[in-house]
Amino acid sequence: MDLMTVIGLLGGIATIYYVLVDGNILHLLVNPVAFVLVFGGTFSATLIAYPWSTLKHIFSASRLMFVGRRYSEDDRQQLIEQMVLLAEKARLKGVEALLRDIEQIKDPFFAYSMQMVVDGLEHDVIRDNMEKRLLYTHQHNHKINGVFRTMATFSPIFGLLGTLIGVVQVLRNLSDPSSMGAAMAIAITTTFYGIFAANFLFLPTAIKLGDLNENETLRQEIMAEAVLCISRGDLPIMVRKKLNVFLISYLRGHEGAPAQR
Amino acid sequence: MDLMTVIGLLGGIATIYYVLVDGNILHLLVNPVAFVLVFGGTFSATLIAYPWSTLKHIFSASRLMFVGRRYSEDDRQQLIEQMVLLAEKARLKGVEALLRDIEQIKDPFFAYSMQMVVDGLEHDVIRDNMEKRLLYTHQHNHKINGVFRTMATFSPIFGLLGTLIGVVQVLRNLSDPSSMGAAMAIAITTTFYGIFAANFLFLPTAIKLGDLNENETLRQEIMAEAVLCISRGDLPIMVRKKLNVFLISYLRGHEGAPAQR
Amino acid sequence: MDLMTVIGLLGGIATIYYVLVDGNILHLLVNPVAFVLVFGGTFSATLIAYPWSTLKHIFSASRLMFVGRRYSEDDRQQLIEQMVLLAEKARLKGVEALLRDIEQIKDPFFAYSMQMVVDGLEHDVIRDNMEKRLLYTHQHNHKINGVFRTMATFSPIFGLLGTLIGVVQVLRNLSDPSSMGAAMAIAITTTFYGIFAANFLFLPTAIKLGDLNENETLRQEIMAEAVLCISRGDLPIMVRKKLNVFLISYLRGHEGAPAQR
Amino acid sequence: MDLMTVIGLLGGIATIYYVLVDGNILHLLVNPVAFVLVFGGTFSATLIAYPWSTLKHIFSASRLMFVGRRYSEDDRQQLIEQMVLLAEKARLKGVEALLRDIEQIKDPFFAYSMQMVVDGLEHDVIRDNMEKRLLYTHQHNHKINGVFRTMATFSPIFGLLGTLIGVVQVLRNLSDPSSMGAAMAIAITTTFYGIFAANFLFLPTAIKLGDLNENETLRQEIMAEAVLCISRGDLPIMVRKKLNVFLISYLRGHEGAPAQR
Amino acid sequence: MDLMTVIGLLGGIATIYYVLVDGNILHLLVNPVAFVLVFGGTFSATLIAYPWSTLKHIFSASRLMFVGRRYSEDDRQQLIEQMVLLAEKARLKGVEALLRDIEQIKDPFFAYSMQMVVDGLEHDVIRDNMEKRLLYTHQHNHKINGVFRTMATFSPIFGLLGTLIGVVQVLRNLSDPSSMGAAMAIAITTTFYGIFAANFLFLPTAIKLGDLNENETLRQEIMAEAVLCISRGDLPIMVRKKLNVFLISYLRGHEGAPAQR
């Protein structure tokens, strides 16, 4: 459960609520016409811009905002330990002995990569395949990400369009002050919806998905490096040294004291 | 038939129609002067900016918005199967035996590339030629794409120019309220046209064409990799392993269960 | 003669003329103060930003907008035929026999490159020199291009400054309505000039010059590849295969029919 | 202590104070509703956009603004002298003799890298590990940096939202002039807060953190180059020559007088 | 003496002066409060954003705007001739014979590089060192450049803040028209200062410094190439061929006439 997303959303709603109540204009917040214009316009333009094969991923991507698994420094440390153990076993009993362990790690990328080692593929072919796989996954995620960035571009523009329409209505009804209220409401509320949607929904989603993807990529890079070590038959102590590079906090532990290690 | 483009356009028109009818200002939507200013201005500036050799492609590119063939994950899977079969045949009967099969695949890039293999060109020359070809096709498509992006930049600016002209007319006719209506109409409608053209026509077209090109490029990369495998005489099982890397969904099937494959 | 530039400019002027006449505000179009502010400001800022050694090129670059030679697909096809013939002659009679032919092609880059082959320079040195030459030409053209982009950035800002000055004058003369006309004229006309200059003159020029440079670069890359082939002594059939890669339309001719070639 | 940050902040506050006092509108500066809207909105959107694992670093990053250690040209010169001494000792007594010296330098990156040399790892492995480490540190810092840039994007937008809300309140209370004051206050103060936060807090912080990171990276690159020299067993005079390249001011000392060195 | 900077500045001042006099609002130009707000704000924010070690270079960088030495095509031609002569001498009498000549060229980068040749360093080490030196000089100059770009971003924003403050004062004093003048003056003059500073001072400075750096880099690349040729012992005719690549105008001289050279 990604608490930050929930706290951020609640915080944002509380902020808006407080300001609107203080200004005594809470009733302006709900306006179906403004809603149709901003979200109808944004989604229609997005439908034209992206094929269904891309759009269908945005639902599961949105879900990631709340349940996205983020691997911490500790998780990476633990992963590195697992990898070192596997490298040790591979040297003692051969890579075939790893088959059962691979199943336990339950990561499709690692399973796929280790299977290539077990199948006896050449070192270079394994590296090429893993690199391509990392690249294509990255490009795929980047595309999904781009949908949210595009929506963050469209929504304030439709908000602006709503303001424009509201201003026209106000000007047309200058002689009839009683209808000015509704016109003003559309003008203000569409801009409000446009800014809110872009800055509380679409843009933060794009940023957080990008962060999640980077986080996942870092984990896959650790596994890829480990697979290459195992394929080459590196010594376990060497594997640990090579993988520790991926830990941001690694250097902190032994500041100025490398000899005591 | 690209349903998303049609649904998006209809959705966009319905959104605008609903909002204008609700605001009782539907009659403002049609204004020939605003139309001339926004589209005349945008197309004139585009004509100055791009040569005819580039502009002539935008008609067929626009057509792609509705009929553009998009290769799905299944299509790619099927293509990989075809390629593996060809690789098998090539190993058994030699590359010359593939000539008839190449004709059936009906893809000019694949035909061109396989012909190089049949002609006995060196592996490196084949790879270089295919890479250059992919690069030039990409650059060409990117340029066509850029025309739509440029138009998406120009059209809101001409909308703004229209608003400016409308404001001048309003100010000039402050003493004659009856003529204010027409002036307001231009001011509003040009901005409206400018925003609509940029965000419903030009920008989504540029984005979707980019997506179509990426999709087509991915397919050509699969074929290029297959041609290289065939040229090298790789084992069919190896060819499949190498090509499966291009399938985004490939890893999902055997999560944590690589040994049972 | 680049017809597109002329048609675009005439179309742009016709559009503006029609809209201004329709709005009955054609007389606002000519305002010397606005002209001095927008163009004086833009050119002064550009003079500070770029040295004369760069600025002196913008006149010949502007000329290219009307007379710029653009090499079509057919021109490239013809160039490739010439190159294949030269490669054939070089294999039969030696590279020295090409001296007279080089003169006929009348291209300084090709002459320079072939001279290196005739002089017997090493293959790698020839390639390095041609690559550097292409790179420096590209950088030089990119810099000229940047001047127009910079002017497209400056001119709307000086338009805005004019609007600001106009607004001040209006506010200062609220009590004297008769002088408001001139103040409004500056406010509107400077913005108009700024937008027009940026979007009809500077930005399209920058884009079209970029396109012309790409077009010329593609031609030089064909010649560079041909020179390398001749220097290596490639077979003419190989030369054609390698150069055909540069033709965008090449694949269309034999869709699904490679065997009949 | 980073004096520039303190002077800049005091200068910024003095500037604002002087202008507000001169305009007699100092009382507008404090407005809790505007504060809640701009900072509540900005922080809420940031919470949605970034995970806690990233956000927790912004406190220590903010601290760096005041206490960030910046290595001057002299510090680098001194570091290079230390490194040359170490290289000399390593050649005379072997790398094992450096263990005690490493402890004195008190830099975790240097300790980590030298330990690899002492452990007898291969030259290429040491270089790869150090490069990856530099890359990951850079990416990590760049991400923290991005949080401040994102906040600099959000805060003026929430300022704009406040202005919008203020304008609505003004329009709603046109008949009740006494309440206009408070509405105006929100409109102005939120914009003010938004611009101030973006341009005095978030953007300068992002820029200065980037500069600090570059500065630290340059120092680590000097150490990495030195470690490679020691690992290769380069002559001390060579080490100095290679490391002097990193000193920007190095060339100034002997303009036109290289022979007297 | 860089005449363009002087002419541009005078042209800019003349333009502004003419427009203000024509509009009869020249007296608005001098306003100490606006000056404090725009320049105080811009410099304060810049102080927070950059450390002193970076900021101290902007004074000498500003001086370069007027006295910056720009190497023309002729200067480069002459430099190439010098280099060819040195290469000739090096082949005849050995690199040691160049020591006196190096002193005469009075360029620290060339002196530093040639000293490495005379000291007998390996070819690869010399190339690496020169590449790193060019890279670090470029990065250093780019950072100084960035300060001016940052100031060009800040100054219009503080102009906007001034307009905001001016508008508040106007609204507060609606009942007292006599004080509106001063309020308007701040509103207008700050925007004016902000735009002027960004577009006449900071942005052109950043652009011209970038151009100067490119120009200097091109010259250093010629020297670096020459040093590599001398280190390798290339024939003088070869050195000239390799260095001529750096002359943009080189190809023009012998269009279609390579054989007569």
Side-chain angles (χ1 to χ4, degrees):
Chain A
M1 188 68 183
D2 194 326
L3 265 179
M4 288 303 110
T5 306
V6 177
I7 295 174
L9 274 174
L10 291 180
I13 290 166
T15 297
I16 299 293
Y17 184 83
Y18 170 67
V19 174
L20 291 180
V21 164
D22 180 89
N24 214 9
I25 50 171
L26 189 60
H27 62 283
L28 281 182
L29 194 63
V30 183
N31 184 318
V33 179
F35 191 87
V36 166
L37 181 55
V38 171
F39 290 94
T42 301
F43 288 126
S44 298
T46 307
L47 279 178
I48 305 176
Y50 288 96
W52 179 242
S53 63
T54 301
L55 290 177
K56 73 181 172 194
H57 294 289
I58 70 170
F59 303 111
S60 58
S62 304
R63 218 179 122 261
L64 280 182
M65 287 299 288
F66 295 98
V67 303
R69 174 110 172 74
R70 184 166 284 105
Y71 297 93
S72 70
E73 194 74 355
D74 286 347
D75 293 330
R76 280 191 287 271
Q77 186 116 38
Q78 203 185 323
L79 177 68
I80 289 173
E81 290 311 314
Q82 278 186 304
M83 294 293 138
V84 172
L85 281 178
L86 287 180
E88 203 154 19
K89 196 167 181 180
R91 273 186 71 88
L92 291 175
K93 312 190 185 169
V95 285
E96 290 76 13
L98 299 181
L99 277 179
R100 185 171 298 270
D101 302 277
I102 295 168
E103 288 177 48
Q104 284 172 358
I105 288 181
K106 286 199 170 47
D107 182 276
F109 176 76
F110 185 69
Y112 163 78
S113 306
M114 278 307 299
Q115 188 64 41
M116 289 193 294
V117 178
V118 173
D119 289 352
L121 266 68
E122 280 172 58
H123 190 75
D124 285 357
V125 173
I126 295 175
R127 197 185 49 222
D128 276 16
N129 279 1
M130 290 195 302
E131 271 172 11
K132 263 194 203 133
R133 163 56 65 185
L134 281 174
L135 182 69
Y136 281 105
T137 308
H138 177 79
Q139 282 181 353
H140 178 74
N141 287 332
H142 191 74
K143 198 159 66 181
I144 309 297
N145 232 354
V147 179
F148 289 99
R149 281 192 194 275
T150 301
M151 288 198 285
T153 312
F154 283 141
S155 58
I157 291 170
F158 285 104
L160 189 70
L161 209 59
T163 303
L164 196 74
I165 290 172
V167 169
V168 179
Q169 289 178 331
V170 168
L171 289 170
R172 265 173 52 86
N173 298 312
L174 280 176
S175 52
D176 172 18
S178 65
S179 70
M180 262 181 69
M184 281 308 302
I186 289 183
I188 297 299
T189 315
T190 46
T191 300
F192 182 82
Y193 283 0
I195 292 178
F196 187 87
N199 292 289
F200 269 110
L201 303 182
F202 302 138
L203 200 53
T205 300
I207 294 174
K208 189 169 253 177
L209 287 179
D211 192 277
L212 273 168
N213 292 337
E214 259 183 53
N215 186 281
E216 174 66 20
T217 300
L218 181 55
R219 200 166 142 274
Q220 294 190 338
E221 282 177 354
I222 293 175
M223 293 189 292
E225 186 70 44
V227 167
L228 288 177
C229 286
I230 292 171
S231 150
R232 249 191 321 250
D234 278 349
L235 282 168
I237 195 171
M238 198 72 155
V239 178
R240 176 174 279 119
K241 257 184 206 301
K242 280 184 181 165
L243 298 183
N244 274 340
V245 168
F246 292 92
L247 295 175
I248 279 297
S249 60
Y250 177 58
L251 293 181
R252 297 216 187 109
H254 50 107
E255 192 149 337
Q260 295 131 18
R261 228 180 345 158
Chain B
M1 188 67 184
D2 194 326
L3 265 179
M4 289 302 110
T5 305
V6 177
I7 294 174
L9 274 174
L10 291 179
I13 291 166
T15 297
I16 299 293
Y17 184 83
Y18 169 69
V19 173
L20 291 180
V21 164
D22 180 88
N24 214 8
I25 50 172
L26 189 60
H27 62 281
L28 281 182
L29 195 64
V30 183
N31 184 318
V33 178
F35 191 87
V36 166
L37 181 55
V38 170
F39 290 94
T42 300
F43 288 126
S44 298
T46 307
L47 279 178
I48 305 175
Y50 288 96
W52 180 242
S53 63
T54 301
L55 290 178
K56 72 181 173 194
H57 294 289
I58 70 169
F59 304 110
S60 57
S62 304
R63 217 179 122 259
L64 280 181
M65 288 299 288
F66 294 98
V67 303
R69 173 109 171 76
R70 185 166 283 105
Y71 298 93
S72 71
E73 194 73 355
D74 287 348
D75 293 329
R76 281 192 288 270
Q77 186 115 40
Q78 203 185 322
L79 176 69
I80 289 173
E81 289 312 314
Q82 278 185 304
M83 294 294 139
V84 172
L85 280 178
L86 287 180
E88 204 154 19
K89 198 167 180 179
R91 272 186 71 88
L92 291 175
K93 312 190 185 168
V95 285
E96 291 76 14
L98 299 181
L99 277 179
R100 185 171 298 271
D101 302 277
I102 296 169
E103 288 177 47
Q104 284 172 359
I105 288 182
K106 287 198 170 48
D107 182 275
F109 175 75
F110 185 69
Y112 162 78
S113 306
M114 277 308 299
Q115 188 64 39
M116 289 194 294
V117 178
V118 173
D119 290 352
L121 266 69
E122 279 172 59
H123 190 75
D124 286 357
V125 173
I126 296 175
R127 197 186 48 223
D128 276 15
N129 278 1
M130 290 196 302
E131 271 171 12
K132 264 193 202 134
R133 163 56 64 186
L134 282 174
L135 182 70
Y136 281 106
T137 308
H138 177 78
Q139 282 182 352
H140 178 74
N141 288 331
H142 191 74
K143 198 160 65 180
I144 309 298
N145 233 353
V147 179
F148 288 100
R149 281 192 193 275
T150 301
M151 288 199 286
T153 312
F154 283 141
S155 59
I157 291 170
F158 286 103
L160 188 70
L161 209 58
T163 303
L164 196 75
I165 289 171
V167 169
V168 179
Q169 289 177 331
V170 168
L171 289 170
R172 265 173 53 86
N173 297 312
L174 279 177
S175 52
D176 172 19
S178 65
S179 70
M180 261 181 70
M184 281 307 303
I186 289 183
I188 297 300
T189 314
T190 46
T191 300
F192 182 82
Y193 283 0
I195 292 178
F196 187 87
N199 293 289
F200 269 110
L201 302 183
F202 302 137
L203 199 52
T205 300
I207 293 174
K208 187 168 256 176
L209 286 180
D211 192 277
L212 273 168
N213 293 337
E214 258 182 54
N215 185 281
E216 174 67 19
T217 300
L218 181 54
R219 198 165 143 274
Q220 295 190 337
E221 281 177 354
I222 293 175
M223 294 188 293
E225 186 71 43
V227 167
L228 288 177
C229 287
I230 292 170
S231 150
R232 249 190 324 249
D234 278 350
L235 281 169
I237 195 171
M238 198 72 154
V239 178
R240 176 174 279 120
K241 257 184 205 302
K242 280 185 181 164
L243 297 183
N244 275 340
V245 167
F246 292 92
L247 294 175
I248 278 297
S249 61
Y250 177 58
L251 293 181
R252 295 216 189 109
H254 49 107
E255 191 150 337
Q260 295 131 16
R261 228 178 348 156
Chain C
M1 188 67 184
D2 195 326
L3 265 179
M4 289 301 110
T5 304
V6 177
I7 294 174
L9 273 175
L10 292 179
I13 290 166
T15 297
I16 299 294
Y17 184 84
Y18 169 69
V19 173
L20 291 180
V21 164
D22 181 89
N24 213 8
I25 50 173
L26 189 60
H27 62 283
L28 280 182
L29 195 63
V30 183
N31 184 318
V33 178
F35 190 87
V36 166
L37 181 55
V38 170
F39 290 95
T42 301
F43 288 126
S44 297
T46 307
L47 280 178
I48 305 176
Y50 288 97
W52 178 244
S53 64
T54 301
L55 289 177
K56 72 181 173 194
H57 294 288
I58 70 170
F59 303 111
S60 57
S62 304
R63 217 179 122 260
L64 280 182
M65 288 299 288
F66 294 98
V67 303
R69 173 108 172 76
R70 185 165 283 106
Y71 298 93
S72 70
E73 195 72 355
D74 285 348
D75 293 330
R76 281 191 288 271
Q77 187 115 40
Q78 202 184 321
L79 177 69
I80 289 172
E81 289 311 314
Q82 279 185 304
M83 294 293 138
V84 172
L85 281 177
L86 287 179
E88 205 154 17
K89 197 166 180 181
R91 273 185 71 88
L92 291 175
K93 313 188 185 170
V95 285
E96 291 75 15
L98 299 182
L99 278 179
R100 184 172 299 270
D101 302 277
I102 295 169
E103 289 177 46
Q104 284 172 359
I105 288 183
K106 286 198 169 49
D107 182 274
F109 176 75
F110 185 69
Y112 163 78
S113 306
M114 277 308 299
Q115 188 65 41
M116 289 194 293
V117 178
V118 172
D119 289 352
L121 266 69
E122 279 172 58
H123 190 75
D124 285 357
V125 173
I126 295 174
R127 198 185 49 223
D128 276 15
N129 278 1
M130 290 195 302
E131 271 172 11
K132 265 194 202 133
R133 163 56 64 186
L134 281 174
L135 182 68
Y136 282 106
T137 308
H138 177 79
Q139 282 181 352
H140 179 74
N141 288 331
H142 192 74
K143 198 159 64 179
I144 309 299
N145 232 352
V147 179
F148 288 99
R149 281 192 194 274
T150 301
M151 289 199 286
T153 312
F154 283 141
S155 58
I157 291 171
F158 286 103
L160 189 69
L161 208 59
T163 303
L164 195 73
I165 289 171
V167 169
V168 179
Q169 289 177 330
V170 168
L171 289 170
R172 265 173 54 86
N173 298 312
L174 280 177
S175 52
D176 172 19
S178 64
S179 70
M180 261 181 71
M184 281 308 302
I186 289 183
I188 296 301
T189 315
T190 46
T191 301
F192 182 82
Y193 283 0
I195 293 178
F196 187 86
N199 292 289
F200 269 110
L201 303 182
F202 302 137
L203 200 52
T205 300
I207 294 174
K208 188 168 255 177
L209 286 179
D211 192 277
L212 273 168
N213 292 337
E214 259 183 54
N215 185 282
E216 174 66 19
T217 299
L218 181 54
R219 198 166 142 274
Q220 295 190 337
E221 282 177 354
I222 292 175
M223 294 189 293
E225 186 71 44
V227 167
L228 287 178
C229 286
I230 292 171
S231 149
R232 249 191 323 249
D234 278 350
L235 282 168
I237 194 171
M238 199 70 155
V239 178
R240 175 174 278 118
K241 257 184 206 302
K242 280 184 180 164
L243 297 183
N244 274 340
V245 168
F246 291 92
L247 295 175
I248 279 297
S249 60
Y250 177 58
L251 293 181
R252 297 218 186 107
H254 51 106
E255 192 150 336
Q260 296 131 17
R261 229 182 344 160
Chain D
M1 188 67 183
D2 194 326
L3 266 179
M4 289 302 111
T5 305
V6 177
I7 295 174
L9 274 175
L10 291 180
I13 290 167
T15 297
I16 299 292
Y17 184 82
Y18 169 69
V19 174
L20 291 180
V21 164
D22 180 88
N24 213 8
I25 50 172
L26 188 61
H27 62 282
L28 280 182
L29 195 63
V30 183
N31 184 317
V33 179
F35 190 87
V36 166
L37 181 55
V38 170
F39 291 94
T42 300
F43 288 126
S44 298
T46 307
L47 279 178
I48 305 176
Y50 288 97
W52 179 244
S53 63
T54 302
L55 290 177
K56 73 181 172 193
H57 294 288
I58 69 170
F59 304 111
S60 57
S62 304
R63 218 179 121 260
L64 280 182
M65 289 298 288
F66 294 97
V67 303
R69 173 112 172 72
R70 184 166 284 105
Y71 298 93
S72 70
E73 194 73 355
D74 285 347
D75 293 330
R76 280 191 288 273
Q77 187 116 39
Q78 202 184 323
L79 177 69
I80 289 173
E81 290 311 314
Q82 277 186 305
M83 294 293 137
V84 172
L85 281 178
L86 287 180
E88 206 154 17
K89 196 167 182 181
R91 273 186 71 89
L92 292 174
K93 312 189 185 168
V95 284
E96 290 75 15
L98 299 181
L99 278 179
R100 186 171 298 271
D101 302 277
I102 296 169
E103 288 177 48
Q104 284 172 358
I105 288 182
K106 286 199 170 48
D107 182 275
F109 176 75
F110 185 68
Y112 163 78
S113 305
M114 277 309 298
Q115 189 64 40
M116 289 194 293
V117 178
V118 173
D119 289 352
L121 266 68
E122 280 173 58
H123 190 76
D124 286 356
V125 173
I126 295 175
R127 198 185 48 223
D128 276 16
N129 278 2
M130 290 195 302
E131 272 171 11
K132 265 194 201 131
R133 163 55 64 187
L134 281 174
L135 182 69
Y136 281 106
T137 307
H138 176 80
Q139 283 181 353
H140 178 74
N141 288 331
H142 191 74
K143 198 159 66 180
I144 310 298
N145 231 353
V147 179
F148 289 99
R149 282 192 193 275
T150 301
M151 289 199 286
T153 312
F154 282 141
S155 59
I157 291 170
F158 285 103
L160 189 69
L161 209 58
T163 304
L164 196 75
I165 289 171
V167 169
V168 179
Q169 289 178 331
V170 168
L171 289 170
R172 265 173 54 85
N173 298 312
L174 280 177
S175 51
D176 172 19
S178 65
S179 70
M180 262 181 71
M184 281 308 302
I186 289 183
I188 297 300
T189 315
T190 47
T191 300
F192 182 83
Y193 283 0
I195 292 178
F196 187 87
N199 292 290
F200 268 111
L201 303 182
F202 302 137
L203 201 52
T205 301
I207 293 174
K208 188 168 255 178
L209 286 179
D211 192 277
L212 273 168
N213 293 337
E214 259 183 54
N215 186 282
E216 174 66 20
T217 300
L218 181 55
R219 198 165 143 276
Q220 295 190 337
E221 281 177 355
I222 292 175
M223 293 189 293
E225 187 70 43
V227 167
L228 288 178
C229 287
I230 292 170
S231 150
R232 248 191 322 249
D234 278 350
L235 282 169
I237 194 171
M238 198 71 155
V239 178
R240 175 174 279 120
K241 256 184 206 304
K242 280 186 180 163
L243 297 183
N244 274 340
V245 168
F246 291 92
L247 295 175
I248 279 297
S249 61
Y250 177 58
L251 293 180
R252 296 214 188 112
H254 50 108
E255 192 149 337
Q260 294 131 19
R261 225 177 352 154
Chain E
M1 187 68 184
D2 194 326
L3 265 179
M4 289 303 110
T5 305
V6 177
I7 294 174
L9 274 175
L10 291 179
I13 290 167
T15 297
I16 299 293
Y17 184 82
Y18 169 69
V19 173
L20 291 180
V21 164
D22 180 89
N24 213 8
I25 50 173
L26 188 60
H27 62 281
L28 281 182
L29 195 62
V30 182
N31 184 317
V33 179
F35 190 87
V36 166
L37 181 55
V38 170
F39 290 95
T42 300
F43 288 126
S44 298
T46 307
L47 279 178
I48 306 176
Y50 289 97
W52 179 243
S53 64
T54 301
L55 290 177
K56 72 180 173 194
H57 294 288
I58 70 169
F59 304 109
S60 57
S62 304
R63 216 179 122 260
L64 280 182
M65 288 299 288
F66 294 97
V67 303
R69 173 109 171 75
R70 184 165 285 105
Y71 298 93
S72 70
E73 195 72 356
D74 286 347
D75 293 330
R76 281 191 288 272
Q77 187 115 38
Q78 202 186 321
L79 177 69
I80 289 172
E81 289 311 314
Q82 278 185 305
M83 295 293 138
V84 172
L85 280 177
L86 287 180
E88 205 153 18
K89 196 166 181 180
R91 272 186 72 89
L92 292 174
K93 312 189 184 169
V95 285
E96 291 75 15
L98 299 181
L99 278 180
R100 185 170 299 270
D101 302 277
I102 296 169
E103 287 177 49
Q104 284 171 358
I105 288 183
K106 285 199 171 49
D107 182 275
F109 176 75
F110 185 69
Y112 163 77
S113 305
M114 277 309 298
Q115 188 64 40
M116 289 195 294
V117 179
V118 173
D119 290 351
L121 266 69
E122 280 172 58
H123 190 76
D124 285 357
V125 173
I126 295 174
R127 197 184 50 223
D128 276 15
N129 278 1
M130 289 195 303
E131 271 171 11
K132 264 194 202 132
R133 164 55 64 187
L134 281 173
L135 182 69
Y136 281 105
T137 308
H138 176 80
Q139 283 181 353
H140 178 74
N141 287 332
H142 191 74
K143 198 160 66 180
I144 310 298
N145 232 353
V147 179
F148 289 99
R149 282 193 192 275
T150 301
M151 288 199 285
T153 311
F154 283 141
S155 60
I157 291 171
F158 286 103
L160 189 69
L161 208 58
T163 304
L164 196 74
I165 289 171
V167 169
V168 178
Q169 290 177 330
V170 168
L171 289 170
R172 264 173 53 86
N173 298 313
L174 279 177
S175 52
D176 171 20
S178 64
S179 70
M180 260 181 71
M184 279 309 302
I186 289 182
I188 296 300
T189 315
T190 47
T191 300
F192 182 82
Y193 284 178
I195 292 179
F196 187 87
N199 293 288
F200 268 109
L201 303 182
F202 302 137
L203 201 52
T205 300
I207 293 174
K208 188 168 255 178
L209 286 179
D211 192 277
L212 273 167
N213 293 336
E214 259 183 54
N215 186 282
E216 174 67 20
T217 300
L218 181 55
R219 197 165 143 276
Q220 294 191 337
E221 282 176 354
I222 292 175
M223 293 188 294
E225 187 71 43
V227 167
L228 288 178
C229 287
I230 291 171
S231 150
R232 248 190 322 249
D234 278 348
L235 283 168
I237 195 172
M238 198 69 156
V239 178
R240 175 173 278 119
K241 256 185 206 300
K242 280 185 180 163
L243 297 183
N244 275 339
V245 167
F246 291 92
L247 295 175
I248 278 297
S249 61
Y250 176 58
L251 293 181
R252 293 213 190 112
H254 51 107
E255 192 149 338
Q260 295 130 18
R261 227 177 349 154

